[in-house]
Amino acid sequence: MTPAERPILVTGAHRSGTTWVGRVLAASTSPRLGYLWEPFNPRHRPGTFPVRFPRYFEYLCSENGAPCVEPLRASLGFRYRPGAELRSLRSPKDAARMGRDWARFARDRRRCAAALVKDPIALFSSEWLAETFGMRVVVMIRHPAAFAVSIRRRNWRHRFADFLDQPLLMRDFLAPHEPQLRAAAGRRPDILDEAILLWNVLYETVATFQERHPDWIFVRHEDVAASPLERYRELYGGLGLQWTPAVERLVRETSSDANPGEARRADAIRRASAAQVRAWTTQLSPGEAERVRRGTDPLWRRFYGDGDW
């Protein structure tokens, strides 16, 4: 299998542009890629991946990942499981989704497509996925203030016990954060403070990956949003994908100034991308921005400079 034909994982923190980047990369036709949505998300459909993780940010490694190898291998090969999906159907909407997913898997399997896995929830498991399935990894990075604004706008709260309930994850990555995680699990913090803690937890792991894996691709959301054509060309080249006029049209359409600055749906990819780069400066008060800056210091300096504030 050539590097370009290996599966690709697009991960990083949620609200960091993984959906946009994943969709644009999945538009590749040489080699063909098929889009696989968040198998680590507890809300994924069982027909696409039958393992239901009990929490967000499940951590798999060599010590506990073996039961998931074959189910994931089947999903990466676009082998749909209608029996698992049928048992989960609860509404006509579920049935319609089953038909759509089954047809999409069948198409991608016929096309011999490689899987493009978009999954920020798989961040901690990235090393295991890369080692087990030969995945190439793209990690998205987002400014802590922009991340905090996005979390607050969506009111996406996190259950910090999901981290504490995983001894292997705490041992391998999160031990330095244990006191703060226990405090947040015991008494829910203000949502801005929650976003600060979550950014620190996720991006300290990203910083560790940068040191361990110089062959992985690390991309700042702001760079893609400010110069989408240039950055996507670089991504396509780095992953061995062929840039085509159709891909260029998709990039232009999804980043156009004519698009809304903020989309109603969290998974929408058509936005005025350039307007997003510093939008947080009008959505946080100076005091709130300084609170995020102090709360994520010195980690933010690994990815950004003073001028980015």
Side-chain angles (χ1 to χ4, degrees), residues 8-289:
I8 297 171
L9 172 67
V10 179
T11 190
H14 49 301
R15 312 308 299 153
S16 66
T18 56
T19 300
W20 184 29
V21 169
R23 286 293 187 188
V24 171
L25 293 180
S28 168
T29 55
S30 182
R32 294 183 177 91
L33 295 177
Y35 188 82
L36 187 60
W37 183 86
E38 300 187 11
F40 279 66
N41 191 319
R43 297 186 298 110
H44 74 261
R45 301 303 305 175
T48 62
F49 178 54
V51 177
R52 181 74 67 185
F53 293 120
R55 60 182 70 88
Y56 284 89
F57 295 103
E58 188 77 12
Y59 174 52
L60 298 184
C61 61
S62 60
E63 295 175 51
N64 67 346
C68 294
V69 171
E70 288 311 312
L72 266 171
R73 197 183 306 280
S75 294
L76 295 174
F78 298 103
R79 294 196 288 275
Y80 192 74
R81 300 165 183 80
E85 188 69 26
L86 281 169
R87 290 190 292 273
S88 74
L89 298 183
R90 298 293 182 271
S91 69
K93 183 178 179 180
D94 289 344
R97 186 186 293 111
M98 175 182 175
R100 180 200 66 194
D101 290 344
W102 196 353
R104 181 168 52 83
F105 265 49
R107 179 201 66 198
D108 288 334
R109 192 173 180 188
R110 285 196 306 270
R111 296 164 67 228
C112 298
L116 184 292
V117 181
K118 191 283 290 192
D119 199 344
I121 313 303
L123 175 65
F124 295 110
S125 301
S126 297
E127 289 181 313
W128 180 80
L129 289 166
E131 181 179 349
T132 305
F133 302 104
M135 288 189 177
R136 305 197 68 188
V137 183
V138 177
V139 182
M140 297 299 299
I141 298 163
R142 195 169 190 189
H143 193 284
F147 175 79
V149 162
S150 187
I151 291 294
R152 184 170 69 176
R153 184 174 60 252
R154 296 286 175 186
N155 195 33
W156 281 7
R157 310 304 301 243
H158 182 72
R159 183 179 179 272
F160 287 97
D162 283 357
F163 295 148
L164 295 164
D165 290 345
Q166 300 186 73
L168 294 175
L169 176 61
M170 295 302 298
R171 180 198 68 187
D172 291 349
F173 290 107
L174 304 187
H177 299 281
E178 184 169 356
Q180 296 92 330
L181 292 173
R182 291 203 177 279
R187 182 177 182 181
R188 172 165 283 180
D190 169 86
I191 193 165
L192 206 59
D193 290 329
E194 184 172 310
I196 289 168
L197 175 56
L198 193 54
W199 191 92
N200 283 329
V201 165
L202 298 175
Y203 281 103
E204 186 168 299
T205 300
V206 170
T208 298
F209 288 159
Q210 277 190 309
E211 295 173 356
R212 292 181 183 173
H213 303 286
D215 57 319
W216 290 10
I217 298 175
F218 296 85
V219 184
R220 299 196 317 178
H221 175 271
E222 294 77 19
D223 295 336
V224 181
S227 303
L229 284 175
E230 178 183 356
R231 297 303 180 187
Y232 274 117
R233 281 183 182 274
E234 291 175 356
L235 268 175
Y236 262 67
L239 291 165
L241 311 178
Q242 183 178 346
W243 185 263
T244 64
V247 172
E248 181 166 330
R249 282 196 302 274
L250 178 62
V251 173
R252 290 185 184 279
E253 290 169 359
T254 56
S255 62
S256 169
D257 290 343
N259 293 333
E262 291 295 339
R264 293 183 180 180
R265 288 173 53 93
D267 60 350
I269 63 172
R270 292 176 181 266
R271 302 181 188 180
S273 67
Q276 288 189 290
V277 176
R278 307 242 341 142
W280 63 266
T281 61
T282 64
Q283 297 163 337
L284 291 176
S285 70
E288 289 173 331

